[in-house]
Amino acid sequence: MNNNDLRLILKTNISLIVVETYDEQRAIELMKSQFRQANIPAMRWSVSEGIGPLGFGIESKEDENYSEPEKLLQFIKKQPTSAFILCDFHPFLDEPKIVRHLKDIALGYKSNPHKIILLSYRLKLPPELTRFAVSVSLSMPNDEEILNIIREEAKKWASRNGKHKIRTDNATLQKLVNNLRGLPHQDVRRLAHGAITDDGAITETDLPEITRAKFELMDMDGVLHFEYSTEHLKNVAGLFNLKKWLEDRRHAMQKDGDSQLDPPKGVLLFGVQGGGKSLAAKAIAGVWGMPLLRLDMGALYNKYVGETEKNLREALKLADLMSPCILWMDEIEKGMSTEGSDNATSKRLLGSLLTWMSERSSQVFVVATSNDISQLPPELMRKGRFDEIFFVDLPDLKMRSAIFLIHLQKRGLDPEHYDIGTLAEAAEGFTGAEIEQAIVSATYAAAARNTNVNTDRIMDAICKTQPLSVVMAENIAKLRHWASERAVYAN
């Protein structure tokens, strides 16, 4: 809602206006300005303070402050044409008398045109009132407004600190503006204030904390998770084709290259469990310097009709607000498979996702990972949904050597003391996760015997492991056959 929206609404013959926002103060100031311009007397009410003027308009000459909702509505009925902002009125909408009073006011609009603004962080009208109401939301600040708020906070800090200017640069300042998109004015101001006041500077180190705080303000109750730890591509062994593909699109995604380049939409990674798909998703966020959101496809499902689709819509809406970001749809087949008892729900989920993927204008890069691509519907697989489909195969000898090197170094073990070539050959058919677990198992065994980890202990752990390539040989063969004609090999 902006000034123009409110002006148009005030000209309609609608009596009840629902405004949902956390930024109550700004909403009241916006409406106060419009009421004054339209010469409409206006008052504000809350259960704690009762009724009072907005600096102009009508005043009650009685001692009663009408803090009781029923008495308030009876008072409103007796007033001439006027507007009333009712703050946090939602707890009283379960009472039949309150609902009837509001309906009476709405039905009597032609003879006494009142405007009742129900202002709350969240409000659902009872069915009796929905036909007499319009719902609006407060518009979020655009980039210019965000930049102005940051400058205002910078000036305040400078005036308190001997007029010293804050330290920053244009690139970091623009990243801060990007990270604050989708937040109401009051939250933009609070986070900008926090970024500046700690050290009088806006630097790259402030950005992750701003992103975390922004996500916490938009909590999705377990459906969408903010991944605090990301990776670097150097910690991902192999996957050279995927790495090159990502590097070629870095500038387009970060908008620091040719402005005519279309930002990439996303990739689908499928392959063997433990092959490095999740690690690759984290690495994309780390390399591009963007927040990583993980959508838990299994947590979307709710026993109540319509709630599952609502969870997905809310998650996608939050991803849009967090833009630019990486949206990781982990094990996407769990939510989009059209097989099984939840067939109808899965189809509705698929429809919602496909609509969002085709219509979104936000800078959200989707990384979908799947262990069983055969369960995914063909509508999701066609060209245009994802920029590319990558197959993550079992690591070859060179990749296995690199994986051993990475996990030994991660645990403070000097690779020079190990026969990595022999270990890599012995681990043929192992996934990256299975190689890591072999090293972990060897460290436990060494600790239990109060000795050092050596090549023999790791070799012993390898020999005792039955890899997925053996246990699920048929499934892996099917994946490879499918990938040979329809996907690009990530390595």
Side-chain angles (χ1 to χ4, degrees):
M1 179 183 69
N2 52 37
N3 281 324
N4 190 51
D5 295 331
L6 185 56
R7 191 181 303 114
L8 292 174
I9 291 170
L10 292 176
K11 290 180 179 179
T12 66
N13 60 356
I14 297 173
S15 181
L16 303 179
I17 302 170
V18 176
V19 180
E20 293 182 311
T21 180
Y22 284 95
D23 201 344
E24 180 180 296
Q25 185 176 356
R26 179 172 175 265
I28 290 175
E29 289 299 320
L30 180 61
M31 289 184 281
K32 179 178 176 180
S33 172
Q34 286 301 310
F35 293 145
R36 182 180 284 112
Q37 290 181 24
N39 199 27
I40 299 175
M43 302 189 79
R44 174 189 177 276
W45 176 90
S46 68
V47 70
S48 59
E49 298 180 3
I51 199 165
L54 286 175
F56 68 99
I58 58 176
E59 292 190 38
S60 171
K61 297 180 180 179
E62 306 172 38
D63 294 333
E64 175 68 61
N65 70 352
Y66 301 102
S67 59
E68 293 295 325
E70 186 176 352
K71 290 184 179 180
L72 165 74
L73 296 178
Q74 290 172 344
F75 168 76
I76 290 175
K77 286 181 177 181
K78 298 175 184 178
Q79 301 305 311
T81 300
S82 52
F84 297 86
I85 301 174
L86 310 186
C87 300
D88 291 332
F89 203 74
H90 58 277
F92 310 107
L93 293 176
D94 291 332
E95 301 176 22
K97 276 191 175 181
I98 299 298
V99 174
R100 184 65 227 189
H101 278 306
L102 286 170
K103 189 172 181 180
D104 289 341
I105 293 172
L107 290 171
Y109 186 83
K110 287 186 178 180
S111 58
N112 197 358
H114 291 305
K115 293 289 184 184
I116 307 294
I117 293 91
L118 301 171
L119 176 60
S120 176
Y121 80 101
R122 185 173 297 171
L123 189 148
K124 184 178 181 181
L125 284 177
E128 302 97 310
L129 300 178
T130 53
R131 287 179 176 268
F132 306 102
V134 60
S135 295
V136 295
S137 57
L138 216 60
S139 60
M140 300 298 178
N142 57 31
D143 286 7
E144 184 178 352
E145 290 174 312
I146 293 173
L147 188 58
N148 287 336
I149 292 172
I150 296 171
R151 286 170 174 163
E152 288 171 8
E153 291 302 313
K155 287 180 181 178
K156 290 178 184 178
W157 184 89
S159 65
R160 294 192 303 266
N161 294 273
K163 296 185 178 180
H164 295 294
K165 289 186 177 181
I166 67 164
R167 304 184 308 279
T168 189
D169 57 79
N170 289 333
T172 306
L173 190 60
Q174 184 56 52
K175 287 182 180 179
L176 178 61
V177 170
N178 294 344
N179 285 12
L180 292 174
R181 286 178 189 153
L183 290 175
H185 291 70
Q186 65 175 10
D187 291 334
V188 170
R189 188 172 298 280
R190 180 165 62 83
L191 294 182
H193 175 82
I196 293 170
T197 53
D198 60 342
D199 57 1
I202 298 175
T203 62
E204 291 278 350
T205 57
D206 293 315
L207 301 180
E209 189 59 38
I210 292 289
T211 305
R212 293 189 188 103
K214 177 181 176 180
F215 183 81
E216 288 169 1
L217 289 168
M218 304 171 175
D219 184 40
M220 270 297 295
D221 298 326
V223 176
L224 200 62
H225 306 272
F226 184 93
E227 293 290 323
Y228 291 90
S229 61
T230 57
E231 289 286 352
H232 196 277
L233 281 181
K234 69 180 181 181
N235 293 328
V236 181
L239 306 186
F240 302 112
N241 289 335
L242 175 61
K243 290 177 180 179
K244 183 178 184 302
W245 190 94
L246 294 171
E247 188 60 35
D248 288 345
R249 287 155 181 79
R250 180 205 293 262
H251 296 306
M253 193 63 193
Q254 295 179 337
K255 287 194 171 181
D256 57 0
D258 189 344
S259 60
Q260 295 180 350
L261 290 174
D262 293 331
K265 297 177 181 178
V267 293
L268 172 61
L269 308 177
F270 76 98
V272 186
Q273 293 182 20
K277 301 182 295 297
S278 299
L279 189 64
K282 292 183 177 183
I284 293 170
V287 169
W288 284 352
M290 293 182 178
L292 177 64
L293 308 182
R294 181 172 63 86
L295 178 58
D296 187 342
M297 303 303 293
L300 284 174
Y301 280 81
N302 190 293
K303 65 180 179 179
Y304 297 107
V305 176
E307 285 299 310
T308 300
E309 301 91 296
K310 181 183 177 182
N311 285 341
L312 178 61
R313 288 194 299 269
E314 290 294 322
L316 296 176
K317 179 181 177 182
L318 177 51
D320 286 331
L321 292 174
M322 290 290 291
S323 170
C325 66
I326 309 297
L327 178 60
W328 171 22
M329 297 184 180
D330 191 20
E331 297 186 1
I332 191 172
E333 70 272 14
K334 287 184 177 179
M336 297 300 151
S337 174
T338 54
E339 300 177 0
S341 58
D342 288 323
N343 187 296
T345 302
S346 295
K347 286 184 177 179
R348 291 195 297 270
L349 276 182
L350 176 62
S352 298
L353 177 61
L354 295 182
T355 299
W356 175 79
M357 291 178 75
S358 62
E359 296 181 356
R360 77 183 189 273
S361 57
S362 60
Q363 201 172 351
V364 178
F365 184 83
V366 177
V367 180
T369 58
S370 173
N371 295 322
D372 188 358
I373 200 166
S374 65
Q375 292 188 28
L376 293 179
E379 301 97 310
L380 188 63
M381 306 294 295
R382 75 162 178 80
K383 277 291 184 181
R385 303 297 188 196
F386 297 98
D387 294 317
E388 196 58 83
I389 299 174
F390 286 98
F391 174 58
V392 181
D393 201 354
L394 293 170
D396 58 18
L397 179 63
K398 184 178 180 180
M399 281 182 62
R400 293 197 298 274
S401 297
I403 293 170
F404 272 108
L405 187 67
I406 289 170
H407 288 297
L408 287 171
Q409 290 175 333
K410 187 180 289 186
R411 288 160 179 81
L413 302 174
D414 187 355
E416 294 292 330
H417 298 156
Y418 300 87
D419 189 349
I420 292 180
T422 300
L423 292 173
E425 287 183 4
E428 184 177 1
F430 277 50
T431 65
E434 288 166 341
I435 290 174
E436 181 180 14
Q437 283 307 305
I439 296 174
V440 171
S441 178
T443 59
Y444 282 137
R449 293 161 180 78
N450 199 26
T451 60
N452 294 325
V453 181
N454 55 34
T455 299
D456 290 338
R457 292 208 179 276
I458 299 176
M459 185 69 74
D460 184 56
I462 292 172
C463 293
K464 291 178 180 178
T465 301
Q466 193 77 318
L468 278 174
S469 60
V470 174
V471 177
M472 302 178 63
E474 295 81 5
N475 292 340
I476 293 175
K478 289 180 182 178
L479 280 176
R480 285 173 167 165
H481 177 72
W482 193 98
S484 64
E485 300 176 352
R486 300 176 179 90
V488 174
Y489 278 73
N491 191 27

